[in-house]
Amino acid sequence: MAADLGVLNDDLQEKVKSSRILVVGAGGIGCELLKNLVLTGFKDIEVIDLDTIDVSNLNRQFLFRKEHVGKSKAQVARESALKFNPDGKIKAYHDSVMSTEYDTEFFKQFDVVLNALDNRAARNHVNRMCLAADKPLVESGTAGYLGQVTVIKKGLTECYECQPKPHQKTFPGCTIRNTPSEPIHCIVWAKHLFNQLFGEADPDEDVSPDTEDPELAGDAGKQALQSEAKEDTVGGIERKSTRIWAQETGYDPMKIFNKLFRDDIHYLLSMESLWKKRRPPEPLDFDSLPNTGGSSDNMNLIHDQRIWSVQECADIFKQSVDLLKSELQKQGDAGILVWDKDEPAAMDFVTAAANIRAYIFGIPIKSRFDIKSMAGNIIPAIATTNAIIAGLLVMEALKILSGNINDCRTVYLNRHPNSRKKLLVPCMLDPPNPKCYVCSSKPEVTVKVNTTSMTVKSLEDKVIKGQFGLVAPDVELDDGKGTIIISSEEGETEENAAKPLSFFGIKNGSRIKCDDFLQEYNLNITLLHVDKLEEEKEFEVVGDVSEVQARAAEASAAAAAAATTVSSFTPSNTAPDNSASNNGQGQTEIDDEDDLEIIEDEEEEMIVETSAISRKRKADEVEEPASKKARKLNSEQVNEDDDAIVVL
Amino acid sequence: MVEQKEMNLTEDEAALYDRQIRLWGLDAQKRLRAARVLLIGLQGLGAEIAKNIVLAGIKSLTLMDHTVVTEEDACSQFLIPRSKIGENRAEASVERTALLNPMVEVTADSSDIAEKDETFFQNFDVVCATNLIKDQLLRINSICHENKIKFFAGDVFGYHGFMFADLNEHEYAEETIKKKKESGEASAKKAKMQEEETVVSKKSMSFVRLKEALAVDWSSENMSKLLKKVPKTFFIIQVLLRFRAQYKRDPSPKSKEEDIVNLLKLRDQVLEELKISKDFVDDSFASYCFAELSPVCAIVGGVFGQEIIKAVSQKDAPHNNFFFFNGLDGSGMVDCIGNS
């Protein structure tokens, strides 16, 4: 162990031996990180991970082997890492870091917290816990060949949430339901269908033809009203009926097939205006399927990469419906299935349904392998990138322990060296964003909603938890009386859930106070009333920079070219499998040379997920002091000098 | 070089390598599975390289080292159990290396690479050399170059590390994403209705031998202008290799103060020979070059591993021809030296 052998300088050596480290996540980065920590001489480590080991982890999570599949990652990682240094102490928790046991007191025990996570919800939460406990956090992320490490310290640097993250890409309901044009539209539809038939139905995930498609002729205003009315009442009944209809047919695969792929398509065809300039869909009948599709050259592919024929899709559709039906029955009356890419029948179902729909609309059919990437939102991961990032994590942690936090950097791992020859690019840490809705002294946001249609439950799930990352909020009206509309105590405010905000007197300009006891975090929200938001959105954060950027990026050809290779959507109510986004806006590269080049070459890196926020780097600001850099945050002067990496 | 792709991947392989096949594709994985690699030097950096390429799924790995395990291996050599101090490094590493991936053949060879002749190297597609003196690196590099074997060299000294690659004439495939215009889409909401197309292009690159990289005349008019942009680690590494040759060991924490003095003397000597001003490399490096620091091994070994994967799979542009890591400022640079 380096710290026992006098490899590090004396002061640091003692720090390493005595400090307490929390490692959050024992996956790809976590395994590498534990190895590095133990070998460097850290003796008091705690590691937490909720996950169990899967066979697809074994190509990189080298502390695990085949016989460990199904076991707790944290526990197996602990045992394996201790073999590298039996004198160390590692405590493992097979648990979610977001659970209430891990409160501020828990976080205060550690000298440094090291994140090795794969999703944004947990990153947001650990960020807040470290702010509340005032502990330094080293954050990390990888996606394919790309990676990033950064340091977060309250009051000194940006927090994880100082810069808005790009949103998950969503598609307009009418594209999904009426006019799909890309494979992803069919995949989204198939996952919605799975939830309608077997899972927890969501009114936003209707799969039947949408009669309120704005493309259909008619009075837009009237339709808007109809659509609102529908959300209040009809939606609930309708979604129930899809499920009930399936139950009534006894989940007969042929009947389901003919309803979805024949009758519904005929109905769509009756909306003639949709097909004036589009290729109209071609209904399919289970009993007379075309003998087409499927690839002839399947010889050199792995099984999942074969392209199925339409007949094969229909057969697999039937088989998977039968399997899922019996799975569902095992659970009893109120049973629901949760879609999982690693559940063969669930994955088969989505592949088959998406491809049949694709065929109907003349969209290319995809392999099960490719559909799994898109439906499961898989971000490819490799050992080497994780090893590099975990090494950088420890290098930053050593600087913090040496008392040199000012020497810490955000470091990006690029795919190719930039024009300054840098493959690993260290950038100055930015100071906190004074307008950050998390780490500023009085967090404030303004949100546009329809106060007469949005329910308290939607406000809680979609806005307060979903958008702003609170885990167990108490919400109070700023009405002078302190009316509690949402309580973190279970059951206390349940009767409010289905009521619209207006029921509580919430109107344009009303303020609510949200308090998360665990995160020690208070957020004031000003609500603005609007009748309708564009693209069927339920709410909009005012001045949400990421929205603006997302749109700008969409328009930019460069971003579009690089985006969505891996793509692209996740169900809004679950955390993505892997979440990647950019943490570094306005990062400034450190350069120890005084000759500044004019502008970096543009390097188009693969951008993971749909996010297209890029790092801005102004050549004339290289190595400027922080105060000067702050200008960039509020300015229009960002140039298009993107060598975009999006990680974290 | 690498044998042509053979039969299909088994379903077990497809499941194990799923996430990386999604990144580099099936052809690359098939080429990896045919690659025979020789890894010389089983200290910290060697352990990282071994781990990365065994996990990736090469055909076989020969671990070669004639030296014995010391206390210092505990800083970074995680493939050797701590009970094995005094045993041969290659043999002590074999068990844990093999456990990383049962589909890869891992063997140990405890002989001294200095005694191996040209025919020995012809058994491999890739040779990767660490912990060697410069003369050996130059000798092995020439053999590999003559025989069109992909050659890599590298080391980690404390906070500093490097990798060198000579892939000779290297052919590779590179994917670029192009957009193709979608014609006549009715719902032309935005100009976003463009479909992406992945274009695979065949490219090639030439590499030089280490000898040529080290023979650059930095006093010449052309090179002295470029000198400022050459990573200093390039020169630091030359000082450390000189130390290794002269003292027949690496700088040791046990003789730290004495070694620092000698390192600074060697720095002056090396720079003088290269006709570079002494203050080009300041003194601080000498205090941070002891043992192989684990996180530095992880970083350099990660880049190293990925470059071997690229070389074997013939996918993506390799780094031509050096990678340097400096743990003091966190920079990792790629530079092409000696290849005009």
Side-chain angles (χ1 to χ4, degrees):
Chain A
M1 316 303 114
D4 300 298
L5 295 168
V7 172
L8 304 168
N9 68 40
D10 295 347
D11 185 37
L12 180 56
Q13 182 164 308
E14 287 316 306
K15 291 266 171 52
V16 166
K17 283 202 266 187
S18 63
S19 48
R20 306 196 68 191
I21 306 290
L22 176 64
V23 173
V24 189
I29 298 173
C31 281
E32 292 282 341
L33 181 58
L34 285 169
K35 171 205 68 192
N36 296 344
L37 289 171
V38 164
L39 293 170
T40 305
F42 287 93
K43 299 215 171 345
D44 194 349
I45 303 165
E46 302 198 3
V47 58
I48 180 165
D49 196 310
L50 173 68
D51 234 2
T52 54
I53 297 158
D54 182 80
V55 69
S56 65
N57 302 147
L58 303 180
N59 76 327
R60 61 194 187 280
Q61 301 179 15
F62 78 107
L63 300 178
F64 312 142
R65 296 197 300 271
K66 207 161 187 184
E67 63 265 31
H68 298 133
V69 168
K71 293 188 177 171
S72 153
K73 284 189 175 178
Q75 278 156 12
V76 177
R78 171 189 176 273
E79 284 158 31
S80 300
L82 279 178
K83 288 185 186 147
F84 304 151
N85 180 10
D87 306 332
K89 197 181 97 198
I90 303 178
K91 189 170 179 187
Y93 302 87
H94 181 201
D95 204 351
S96 164
V97 72
M98 293 169 78
S99 88
T100 50
E101 285 124 276
Y102 311 107
D103 56 9
T104 329
E105 289 308 307
F106 174 81
F107 278 84
K108 278 183 180 163
Q109 304 168 73
F110 301 99
D111 296 289
V112 183
V113 177
L114 306 179
N115 264 0
L117 285 162
D118 65 358
N119 69 84
R120 199 185 294 166
R123 286 196 176 102
N124 286 343
H125 183 75
V126 175
N127 176 49
R128 292 166 193 206
M129 296 310 294
C130 289
L131 291 170
D134 198 12
K135 291 293 174 183
L137 168 65
V138 191
E139 177 59 271
S140 70
T142 66
Y145 301 110
L146 310 177
Q148 182 183 341
V149 167
T150 193
V151 172
I152 294 166
K153 180 71 170 63
K154 186 179 177 180
L156 190 68
T157 73
E158 280 188 343
C159 83
Y160 180 67
E161 295 167 272
C162 270
Q163 297 299 335
K165 307 289 181 291
H167 297 277
Q168 291 288 325
K169 172 137 189 168
T170 54
F171 299 96
C174 49
T175 305
I176 300 302
R177 292 167 65 183
N178 293 359
T179 52
S181 60
E182 290 174 37
I184 187 66
H185 300 150
C186 301
I187 296 167
V188 171
W189 179 86
K191 280 184 74 178
H192 289 178
L193 175 64
F194 178 94
N195 286 340
Q196 296 290 331
L197 291 175
F198 310 107
E200 194 165 17
D202 181 324
D204 296 340
E205 296 185 349
D206 204 331
V207 292
S208 59
D210 181 4
T211 52
E212 278 131 31
D213 193 320
E215 269 191 65
L216 296 168
D219 184 313
K222 192 178 152 200
Q223 275 170 17
L225 284 172
Q226 275 173 359
S227 113
E228 273 163 36
K230 193 179 165 211
E231 248 164 51
D232 278 344
T233 54
V234 191
I237 297 159
E238 204 183 343
R239 83 188 108 110
K240 212 172 169 187
S241 71
T242 307
R243 180 67 161 269
I244 286 172
W245 177 85
Q247 282 167 347
E248 282 167 0
T249 67
Y251 282 99
D252 181 330
M254 274 166 316
K255 284 186 182 153
I256 295 174
F257 185 102
N258 284 337
K259 177 191 184 296
L260 296 168
F261 301 121
R262 188 190 61 197
D263 304 346
D264 281 356
I265 303 301
H266 277 299
Y267 189 78
L268 278 178
L269 283 170
S270 73
M271 303 178 185
E272 284 169 14
S273 58
L274 293 180
W275 316 112
K276 280 183 187 145
K277 287 178 181 168
R278 279 194 188 89
R279 172 198 178 280
E282 291 166 4
L284 286 177
D285 190 299
F286 192 83
D287 293 318
S288 58
L289 291 169
N291 192 18
T292 51
S295 63
S296 49
D297 178 31
N298 281 334
M299 297 312 290
N300 284 318
L301 299 174
I302 48 184
H303 188 262
D304 266 11
Q305 289 181 317
R306 291 169 46 249
I307 303 283
W308 299 346
S309 68
V310 176
Q311 183 64 54
E312 258 179 303
C313 287
D315 293 343
I316 291 167
F317 180 81
K318 180 176 178 304
Q319 285 165 24
S320 58
V321 168
D322 285 339
L323 278 168
L324 293 167
K325 171 187 159 188
S326 59
E327 275 302 305
L328 192 62
Q329 279 166 351
K330 278 184 210 158
Q331 294 202 5
D333 282 349
I336 52 159
L337 302 180
V338 176
W339 190 81
D340 179 352
K341 68 183 186 307
D342 295 315
E343 205 59 64
M347 191 59 230
D348 281 344
F349 174 85
V350 164
T351 307
N355 276 337
I356 295 164
R357 188 166 170 89
Y359 181 83
I360 288 168
F361 284 91
I363 296 164
I365 287 182
K366 291 279 178 184
S367 70
R368 188 182 191 274
F369 184 86
D370 287 343
I371 291 180
K372 188 172 179 176
S373 273
M374 291 188 266
N377 209 25
I378 296 174
I379 293 174
I382 51 173
T384 51
T385 306
N386 287 334
I388 295 166
I389 293 305
L392 292 170
L393 260 164
V394 176
M395 297 306 286
E396 294 307 314
L398 291 177
K399 291 184 214 165
I400 294 171
L401 292 173
S402 309
N404 300 327
I405 198 164
N406 289 320
D407 293 341
C408 286
R409 298 286 180 264
T410 295
V411 185
Y412 295 92
L413 167 63
N414 283 351
R415 190 166 178 183
H416 303 292
N418 67 13
S419 59
R420 283 199 194 82
K421 303 179 181 177
K422 290 187 182 178
L423 187 69
L424 298 173
V425 189
C427 299
M428 291 289 259
L429 295 172
D430 282 309
N433 170 6
K435 288 182 178 163
C436 176
Y437 72 80
V438 175
C439 72
S440 65
S441 55
K442 278 197 172 169
E444 287 270 357
V445 285
T446 302
V447 179
K448 287 184 193 169
V449 295
N450 182 325
T451 52
T452 56
S453 67
M454 178 175 266
T455 61
V456 171
K457 183 168 168 49
S458 283
L459 178 74
E460 179 176 357
D461 292 349
K462 292 180 179 159
V463 181
I464 297 170
K465 290 181 178 171
Q467 174 72 25
F468 297 116
L470 283 79
V471 174
D474 289 292
V475 181
E476 181 185 319
L477 293 185
D478 197 4
D479 58 357
K481 290 177 283 186
T483 311
I484 307 279
I485 57 165
I486 298 168
S487 165
S488 57
E489 292 290 326
E490 207 159 315
E492 259 187 16
T493 46
E494 215 141 81
E495 69 279 3
N496 294 347
K499 291 176 182 148
L501 302 182
S502 52
F503 179 87
F504 301 92
I506 293 175
K507 55 180 194 298
N508 191 39
S510 292
R511 283 163 56 90
I512 55 173
K513 293 177 177 174
C514 311
D515 177 13
D516 190 299
F517 182 74
L518 182 60
Q519 295 175 340
E520 297 189 10
Y521 171 52
N522 293 292
L523 175 68
N524 289 328
I525 305 179
T526 301
L527 295 167
L528 298 181
H529 174 83
V530 285
D531 284 333
K532 191 167 167 53
L533 289 160
E534 60 174 19
E535 288 178 11
E536 302 170 40
K537 279 190 298 193
E538 254 189 286
F539 68 93
E540 186 181 306
V541 182
V542 176
D544 184 345
V545 194
S546 68
E547 288 277 312
V548 180
Q549 282 165 341
R551 263 178 243 142
E554 213 166 292
S556 127
T564 64
T565 321
V566 180
S567 90
S568 102
F569 76 97
T570 36
S572 56
N573 54 347
T574 55
D577 179 35
N578 278 293
S579 178
S581 75
N582 182 25
N583 189 35
Q585 286 234 38
Q587 294 288 4
T588 303
E589 183 183 343
I590 306 301
D591 204 298
D592 48 3
E593 293 165 35
D594 45 9
D595 55 333
L596 300 178
E597 290 165 32
I598 307 306
I599 281 183
E600 292 282 295
D601 287 345
E602 180 159 311
E603 294 172 44
E604 283 186 3
E605 294 284 3
M606 182 181 72
I607 297 185
V608 187
E609 279 200 303
T610 57
S611 46
I613 296 198
S614 48
R615 284 185 293 140
K616 312 305 191 288
R617 190 187 297 166
K618 292 208 66 171
D620 61 342
E621 289 183 353
V622 170
E623 208 164 33
E624 285 296 327
S627 58
K628 208 164 176 185
K629 277 194 297 162
R631 278 186 319 178
K632 281 184 297 175
L633 290 172
N634 58 7
S635 70
E636 308 294 335
Q637 52 173 310
V638 283
N639 64 35
E640 287 305 312
D641 172 23
D642 300 349
D643 76 276
I645 300 190
V646 179
V647 191
L648 280 197
Chain B
M1 53 153 292
V2 177
E3 293 162 30
Q4 264 316 299
K5 23 178 177 167
E6 16 179 310
M7 29 36 121
N8 253 334
L9 255 65
T10 63
E11 287 305 304
D12 277 355
E13 287 173 297
L16 175 63
Y17 303 129
D18 182 272
R19 293 303 187 271
Q20 65 201 45
I21 292 171
R22 287 178 197 279
L23 191 62
W24 53 57
L26 190 58
D27 282 349
Q29 190 64 44
K30 286 179 179 170
R31 289 203 171 87
L32 270 170
R33 163 170 99 149
R36 303 157 303 164
V37 180
L38 171 66
L39 174 60
I40 305 157
L42 262 297
Q43 296 188 39
L45 178 60
E48 287 286 343
I49 297 167
K51 175 202 68 191
N52 291 336
I53 60 180
V54 167
L55 288 172
I58 54 170
K59 180 176 197 281
S60 65
L61 178 64
T62 302
L63 305 176
M64 174 166 266
D65 199 317
H66 69 289
T67 62
V68 296
V69 181
T70 69
E71 209 184 16
E72 250 177 54
D73 287 71
C75 288
S76 48
Q77 224 297 13
F78 57 95
L79 295 173
I80 299 179
R82 291 225 295 171
S83 57
K84 300 217 170 181
I85 288 178
E87 295 183 28
N88 174 271
R89 279 191 170 117
E91 286 166 358
S93 305
V94 101
E95 189 187 336
R96 285 188 182 172
T97 310
L99 280 174
L100 291 169
N101 186 348
M103 298 190 205
V104 179
E105 296 161 35
V106 182
T107 50
D109 187 333
S110 59
S111 40
D112 184 349
I113 196 67
E115 289 153 17
K116 298 288 186 183
D117 64 8
E118 187 162 348
T119 52
F120 173 78
F121 294 97
Q122 287 164 350
N123 297 316
F124 301 98
D125 304 300
V126 175
V127 170
C128 178
T130 69
N131 308 116
L132 291 183
I133 56 166
K134 188 172 102 185
D135 291 350
Q136 276 305 322
L137 292 177
L138 296 177
R139 178 183 81 96
I140 299 166
N141 187 182
S142 330
I143 295 173
C144 289
H145 199 91
E146 293 299 309
N147 288 278
K148 298 203 160 43
I149 299 163
K150 307 294 179 191
F151 174 79
F152 292 89
D155 269 301
V156 167
F157 300 92
Y159 285 68
H160 305 279
F162 85 104
M163 180 208 75
F164 166 80
D166 172 9
L167 307 185
N168 215 314
E169 294 299 316
H170 183 69
E171 290 187 348
Y172 61 97
E174 195 168 47
E175 282 174 7
T176 42
I177 296 170
K178 285 203 173 142
K179 273 168 293 168
K180 60 178 180 192
K181 268 273 185 208
E182 191 89 334
S183 54
E185 258 295 329
S187 72
K189 273 188 177 174
K190 291 167 195 155
K192 218 239 148 184
M193 277 282 126
Q194 288 175 316
E195 212 171 285
E196 285 154 16
E197 197 179 21
T198 306
V199 185
V200 181
S201 38
K202 291 229 169 201
K203 295 185 174 175
S204 67
M205 213 183 246
S206 303
F207 286 73
V208 298
R209 284 172 285 192
L210 183 60
K211 195 171 111 188
E212 285 141 280
L214 296 178
V216 171
D217 179 2
W218 297 102
S219 64
S220 72
E221 200 183 332
N222 282 343
M223 297 316 289
S224 61
K225 271 188 220 151
L226 295 174
L227 181 62
K228 208 163 90 172
K229 290 189 175 180
V230 176
K232 295 193 167 56
T233 312
F234 176 61
F235 301 100
I236 294 172
I237 293 299
Q238 294 187 61
V239 175
L240 288 157
L241 287 175
R242 179 73 60 91
F243 185 101
R244 177 182 282 168
Q246 190 158 330
Y247 296 92
K248 305 208 163 30
R249 63 171 177 86
D250 287 342
S252 165
K254 286 175 191 149
S255 48
K256 200 169 181 175
E257 277 169 35
E258 186 190 329
D259 287 355
I260 291 177
V261 173
N262 289 326
L263 281 164
L264 294 176
K265 274 188 208 155
L266 288 176
R267 186 255 332 251
D268 296 352
Q269 200 182 319
V270 167
L271 292 181
E272 199 179 308
E273 286 166 23
L274 293 168
K275 300 183 193 115
I276 298 171
S277 145
K278 282 179 201 174
D279 48 12
F280 186 71
V281 174
D282 69 42
D283 291 0
S284 64
F285 84 94
S287 312
Y288 294 94
C289 58
F290 293 89
E292 296 188 43
L293 208 54
S294 160
V296 179
C297 290
I299 295 161
V300 179
V303 173
F304 225 119
Q306 196 55 43
E307 290 307 299
I308 294 175
I309 291 165
K310 277 190 213 166
V312 168
S313 64
Q314 297 180 271
K315 178 93 194 283
D316 294 334
H319 300 323
N320 188 352
N321 51 2
F322 279 94
F323 169 74
F324 300 104
F325 180 69
N326 176 351
L328 297 175
D329 64 14
S331 68
M333 320 257 290
V334 170
D335 206 355
C336 188
I337 300 175
N339 193 351
S340 44

